[in-house]
Amino acid sequence: AQRSCITPVAAIDGRDITTIEGLAPSEEELHPVQQAWLENDVPQCGYCQAGQFMAAVDFLQRNPNPSDAEIDANQTNICRCGTYVRIRKAIHRAAELSSGEES
């Protein structure tokens, strides 16, 4: 994941870029993080959601079963609405969905 607000366009020349819109496998199936975000009513104002969301996707690719402390250390984007508890819960849920575990 890269923060687009501080990444010069020249730094990504010739590289593949994935956005929130490009994550879903199909129009009928959501990415696990998209599903978890919806299930946990994470977004409020939307200001931080793209950054929070893409950071979570990248993080779960590197750490498929994170602890609360690991999530808190990784999710460094600021949420103006303070939905950190819901973000953490959604990341745990996305990890479950990705692993095939259901609770």
Side-chain angles (χ1 to χ4, degrees):
Q2 294 287 321
R3 292 182 187 224
S4 62
C5 59
I6 60 170
T7 304
V9 174
I12 57 172
D13 185 30
R15 298 178 69 186
D16 290 332
I17 299 169
T18 302
T19 64
I20 291 172
E21 297 83 4
L23 289 171
S26 69
E27 289 190 26
E28 294 80 31
E29 184 181 356
L30 296 175
H31 184 279
V33 175
Q34 290 170 319
Q35 182 64 40
W37 242 240
L38 290 172
E39 287 179 13
N40 289 281
D41 295 321
V42 174
Q44 282 191 6
C45 77
Y47 177 79
C48 70
Q49 289 310 298
Q52 294 283 5
F53 195 94
M54 295 307 288
V57 169
D58 179 64
F59 176 59
L60 287 171
Q61 289 174 345
R62 292 179 284 112
N63 186 345
N65 190 25
S67 68
D68 284 348
E70 291 168 327
I71 292 169
D72 292 347
N74 184 76
Q75 293 298 116
T76 59
N77 299 58
I78 295 171
C79 176
R80 293 167 56 172
C81 301
T83 63
Y84 299 108
V85 173
R86 285 188 269 174
I87 290 167
R88 187 183 314 120
K89 187 175 178 182
I91 291 172
H92 283 298
R93 177 64 178 142
E96 290 174 358
L97 291 168
S98 294
S99 70
E101 295 177 18
E102 293 292 325
S103 61

